[in-house]
Structures are given as C-alpha cells and as structure tokens.
Amino acid sequence: MNCVLDGNCVKAFGKAIHALSRIGDELWLDPMVRGLTLRSVNSAHSAYACFLFSPLFFQQYNLGSVSEQGNETIKCKLIMKSVLPLFRCLTSIERNVKRCQISISAPCDRVMIQFFCRHGMRHRN
C-alpha cells in the first residue's frame, strides 16, 4: 500500500491520530479498497474509535500488492507511542510539511511514514 497526503490533509490525518491516542495504546492501519482505516480500542475493550479516509482524501492511493492478494488484507498494528510524536506538533506540520507518504510493504511487514518538507528536507520513520 502506498498513499500520499498533501500538507492540509496531513494536519487532518494527525488530528485523527491524536484523537485515537486518547482511546488506546495501539493504532491499527487497515488499507482497503474503500480507503485507509485507522482504528484504536482501549485495553478493557470498552471503547473503540475508527476513522475511514477515502481514496479521494489522498493525492495518491494505491493498494499495490494488497489488491493482488485477493481476499487477504493487510492489518498493521503500531504502538501509539511510536506514531504520535510524528504528528505531535501540528503547527509545525502546517508550516513546513508539503506532503507525507505512507507505505506498507506486506512481505517484510514494514510501515514507512515519510515527510517531505520545504527546501527539500525529508524526515523518515
């Protein structure tokens, strides 16, 4: 899966992650044909939240190998503590980030979030 967000959409995406961080300690990324779903559930399984970002939200949304696998979908579980700092300072994101690319590779189970900032600078995680 590969998707690209522009600067304004990165801010909205970051706010969704912040909202989910108040629910639970884990963030689930579920790339689907309908779009990218972000989910979180608390440790007692008494609270749950979900955001669905349609493909139209992204500048580019490509499932790639996910669609080739047929019914088998990729579900990525990330620790919220590792994702939250990336989107912590939304004012900085609004001013400096031109776009963000999120890639999920199925064979090696790797999620890469890459920020492309002004003046050609990159930030990868």
Side-chain angles (χ1 to χ4, degrees):
M1 194 272 319
N2 186 23
C3 62
V4 177
L5 302 125
D6 69 353
N8 294 330
C9 292
V10 174
K11 184 176 178 183
F13 195 81
K15 285 186 177 186
I17 291 175
H18 277 273
L20 292 173
S21 72
R22 295 178 185 196
I23 302 292
D25 296 331
E26 298 173 344
L27 175 68
W28 288 86
L29 296 174
D30 301 334
M32 301 178 294
V33 174
R34 296 183 327 189
L36 180 63
T37 304
L38 304 179
R39 306 171 198 254
S40 186
V41 64
N42 70 350
S43 59
H45 295 281
S46 60
Y48 171 80
C50 174
F51 289 96
L52 172 64
F53 293 96
S54 78
L56 297 174
F57 179 77
F58 302 96
Q59 278 184 340
Q60 177 186 356
Y61 184 78
N62 183 10
L63 288 175
S65 63
V66 175
S67 61
E68 295 167 6
Q69 294 174 359
N71 295 337
E72 199 174 317
T73 60
I74 295 176
K75 294 184 179 185
C76 299
K77 179 175 76 169
L78 303 173
I79 303 299
M80 194 64 79
K81 287 182 181 180
S82 66
V83 178
L84 196 58
L86 301 175
F87 297 94
R88 185 160 305 274
C89 187
L90 295 175
T91 56
S92 174
I93 287 174
E94 186 177 352
R95 281 183 281 159
N96 297 323
V97 174
K98 293 170 70 176
R99 66 185 170 104
C100 174
Q101 181 176 356
I102 302 170
S103 303
I104 301 173
S105 58
C108 59
D109 297 329
R110 184 176 188 173
V111 176
M112 184 169 67
I113 301 173
Q114 188 173 14
F115 294 98
F116 295 88
C117 303
R118 295 179 194 264
H119 311 298
M121 297 177 64
R122 290 187 196 178
H123 186 274
R124 268 188 241 197
N125 291 321

